Amino acid sequence: MKNLIIDAANEKIFFSIITETQSYTTTHTNSRENFDKFINLLLDFLSKNKIILDNVENIFINQGPGKFSSIRISISIAKAISLAKNISLFGFNSNDLGNGDYNKILELHKKNLLIKDLIKPLYSS
């Protein structure tokens, strides 16, 4: 099972693919310049790691709290990919991470503690 995690709620834009046996991760500066090319950064990450979107089963998106622009861009792209490729979409909060451990998100998913397609952005002030 391939899981895509997208997190742009903090100082870095974080992309990760986690499978049963491997994980791939990249980060980028959370800046206006990178918002403009967000989808290209994501597609380059997937291409570099030979990941085909058709093989991704779940997308996990950090819904905040975080900066308005970065939350909106990342959620919009995650929703678009989810709809276009029929991939399950789950939201999580920054508080769910616990020391930045993204495997914790997969644990929450396995325990059915994340709600599918329910995305509630949380913006910081």
Side-chain angles (χ1 to χ4, degrees):
M1 175 183 297
K2 289 186 173 89
N3 299 289
L4 171 61
I5 298 174
I6 301 173
D7 183 353
N10 300 302
E11 297 302 314
K12 298 279 185 181
I13 296 170
F14 176 89
F15 301 126
S16 182
I17 287 285
I18 300 176
T19 70
E20 293 85 11
T21 59
Q22 297 176 314
S23 66
Y24 309 97
T25 302
T26 190
T27 60
H28 301 278
T29 303
N30 195 340
S31 66
R32 178 66 190 175
E33 178 183 315
N34 284 338
F35 296 155
D36 293 342
K37 57 183 180 179
F38 195 95
I39 189 66
N40 292 334
L41 294 173
L42 177 58
L43 294 176
D44 288 347
F45 164 70
L46 295 172
S47 176
K48 177 182 173 187
N49 293 294
K50 298 178 175 75
I51 302 296
I52 299 168
L53 276 173
D54 291 332
N55 296 332
V56 172
E57 293 182 37
N58 300 304
I59 299 174
F60 298 95
I61 183 75
N62 189 339
Q63 55 196 2
K67 298 176 186 174
F68 178 82
S69 297
S70 57
I71 297 287
R72 292 308 308 160
I73 293 283
S74 59
I75 289 174
S76 297
I77 288 173
K79 281 185 174 183
I81 293 170
S82 172
L83 287 170
K85 296 294 186 176
N86 197 27
I87 301 171
S88 296
L89 178 64
F90 299 90
F92 67 92
N93 296 330
S94 296
N95 302 337
D96 295 333
L97 289 176
N99 297 327
D101 183 5
Y102 289 90
N103 286 311
K104 180 130 179 146
I105 302 307
L106 298 180
E107 291 173 20
L108 292 173
H109 174 62
K110 287 178 187 173
K111 294 177 182 177
N112 293 318
L113 296 175
L114 300 177
I115 301 171
K116 183 178 177 182
D117 296 327
L118 179 62
I119 308 299
K120 293 183 177 182
L122 301 170
Y123 306 114
S124 58
S125 49

